[in-house]
Amino acid sequence: MQFRIALEDPATPDVIALLEAGDAYGASLYPAESNHFLPLDALRGPNVCFVVARDRHGAALATGAIALAGDFAELKRMWVVPDARGKGISTAVLADLEARALDAGHSLLRLETGIDNHEALALYERKGFVRRGPFGCYREDPLSVFMEKHLGDVATAV
């Protein structure tokens, strides 16, 4: 499957539909207090890189974002439409976001996901993320899994 990944404004109708589908999936698995979605206005913030994967016809297939914090970037809003899963899109979106984190000077990527997001957990573990405790504003939650990945040294200009 051919697709392209680019920075986009998340406030377009087709992207909002993907975000809402991800929200609905999360709500079907966890209570509201265990869902930690960045809302649309935060996704448009200056510290967020939001990307969309689109097929060759322009249909939105996947979303992902990183929120740049003090000494790390946080992975947020990874979602792939069910019909496009298993085609390498989530791996490509993750790689794109990792590169953007490094370009922004962040060599540590962290995330929170749910214990029942088995496909996401498998992807993150395959891609080198390791489990850790809560970070930032998160608190212990038996329904959450916290992970991080060191992306390597940030290039420095000479």
Side-chain angles (χ1 to χ4, degrees):
M1 169 178 275
Q2 292 181 346
F3 57 91
R4 68 171 180 78
I5 300 168
L7 285 173
E8 289 195 26
D9 182 347
T12 59
D14 59 343
V15 174
I16 289 171
L18 264 65
L19 294 171
E20 289 173 346
D23 291 354
Y25 179 71
S28 75
L29 296 175
Y30 312 107
E33 64 271 12
S34 293
N35 279 309
H36 305 285
F37 304 123
L38 273 184
L40 184 61
D41 60 334
L43 289 173
R44 299 178 88 190
N47 69 317
V48 175
C49 297
F50 183 87
V51 299
V52 177
R54 293 184 179 275
D55 70 13
R56 60 191 176 108
H57 302 292
L61 302 173
T63 63
I66 53 170
L68 305 173
D71 60 347
F72 66 91
E74 183 180 357
L75 186 66
K76 301 297 286 181
R77 301 310 296 241
M78 286 280 293
W79 178 254
V80 179
V81 297
D83 289 347
R85 293 182 185 162
K87 296 174 171 55
I89 298 170
S90 60
T91 296
V93 168
L94 181 58
D96 181 273
L97 292 169
E98 288 177 356
R100 291 179 193 279
L102 281 171
D103 287 347
H106 291 72
S107 61
L108 180 61
L109 188 58
R110 292 181 172 160
L111 64 88
E112 178 279 336
T113 192
I115 61 171
D116 292 326
N117 285 348
H118 303 293
E119 295 89 355
L121 288 166
L123 169 71
Y124 300 140
E125 288 170 353
R126 274 194 321 272
K127 297 304 174 186
F129 283 83
V130 295
R131 292 179 188 228
R132 55 154 296 134
F135 60 91
C137 296
Y138 293 105
R139 305 224 184 284
E140 284 290 343
D141 182 341
L143 300 178
S144 287
V145 175
F146 303 97
M147 304 179 89
E148 69 182 12
K149 178 180 180 179
H150 291 274
L151 302 175
D153 293 328
V154 177
T156 55
V158 177

